Amino acid sequence: MSAPGSTGYPGRVTQFSSDAPARAHAFTLSSADDGLAALGAWREYPRVQQPVWPDETARAKVFDDLRAAPPLVFAGEVDVLRDRVAAAARGEAFLLAGGDCAETFADSTADRIRNKIRTILQMSAVLTYGASLPVVKMGRMAGQFAKPRSADEETRDGQTLPTYRGDAVNEFDFTPESRIPDPARLWRTYTTSASTLNLLRAFTGGGFADLREVHSWNRGFTSGAGYDRYEELAGQIDKAVRFMDAIGADFESLKVVEFYASHEALLLDYEEALSRIDSRTGEIYGCSGHFLWVGERTRQLDGAHVDFMARLRNPIGVKLGPDASVDDALRLIDRLDPEREPGRLTFITRMGAGKIRDRLPALVEGVRDSGAQVAWVTDPMHGNTITSSNGYKTRRFEDILDEVVGFFEVHQGLGTVPAGLHMELTGDDVTEVLGGSGEIDEEGLTRRYETLVDPRLNHQQSLELAFLVAEMLSRR
């Protein structure tokens, strides 16, 4: 058991001060133009998935406003997370990232933010017990307001308009006015992200994350119809919590948790404007979020996104689909992690349940044999998207689970470390993914299908997945 006030991580990892987390690193961030000028080099590279802003003067004004605004995250928090990711890559922790496919301004309410945080805390409590490891908790939150799209335009009933690219760019309503990219929405992305982070820090630092409370939520879940198979594991956790209470464990230290914000660094105007220099070291931090990733559609080695991300000090991720080659992976490592620094680079695989067992082994072997120290995380959502017979974009819970199982099987067979899960989920009782113990069928999709982009696991499905993964982890 960890000493009172500790994080539960190995002692070599920087301890996180719950009352002032930025103390882990001197607060000396600057937006001085001279040091950040190199970041603008991305504009000289091939660019994809970037909106065409109709008014350059308006874009430049918002850029300047963002450059002058306070950072959303701090260098000290980012440095601690890099250590946490390194621990996950070594098998000393487990990373759980979850949240919306694409956040919206309208849904960034206190209740919905609380429900997402609650779901991730519940999942992490179950996974911590199953893995006997601390869980690195990360939300796809406070910045996930843009999404890459497969086409630049969308046609309905003979009318063709620009594609909806997320609330950071344009509106979902299918009208010419709504679909015009508006740079003012980047400023609203910043202010909404700031308010989300305020709530996130309040919830996770103010007692909402108390282990005893989180466990009581999970007991309520397992007592519901269809979830009785998880009662045994919930009972074991209950016994462990009561044992800790009986021996006088310091539950005060368990009321506060580390919780990090992540998103895809898609809109480079926004990411550049929110980058800051740590004047103590001269290094550049992306201060829009703690963990940033490059998507499958934007990971071109000669592209703008990879060039931009290579210049940041943050821990970063790269999505790898079923067509990613060993050469792709090794060249990305050379470009993004030339020093082979633990915690710097995470590969987030999105293969699909039918392909992961065939495609993933070669990638993992090639990276392992190169000596690189990346964290391997599975995204079992994006490779399993289908269209239901009644026209809904959806996924099957059984496919999502099967890809997770395949991910663990591959790493077990190779003797490598499955470092974490990257999920699209919500804390609400939506009906967007088929199956699960709730037995959502195609007709059920019509009841509460709310996503504007990709289907998400609901609260019950997320917890069910956590219990199933915990069972796998406990058998390792």
Side-chain angles (χ1 to χ4, degrees), residues 214-226:
V214 173
H215 175 57
S216 73
W217 299 333
N218 281 341
R219 290 181 64 188
F221 165 77
T222 59
S223 65

Side-chain angles (χ1 to χ4, degrees), residues 257-273:
V257 300
E258 296 174 9
F259 202 110
Y260 299 97
S262 68
H263 65 268
E264 180 176 357
L266 184 64
L267 302 179
L268 295 179
D269 284 302
Y270 180 77
E271 301 300 335
E272 181 186 357

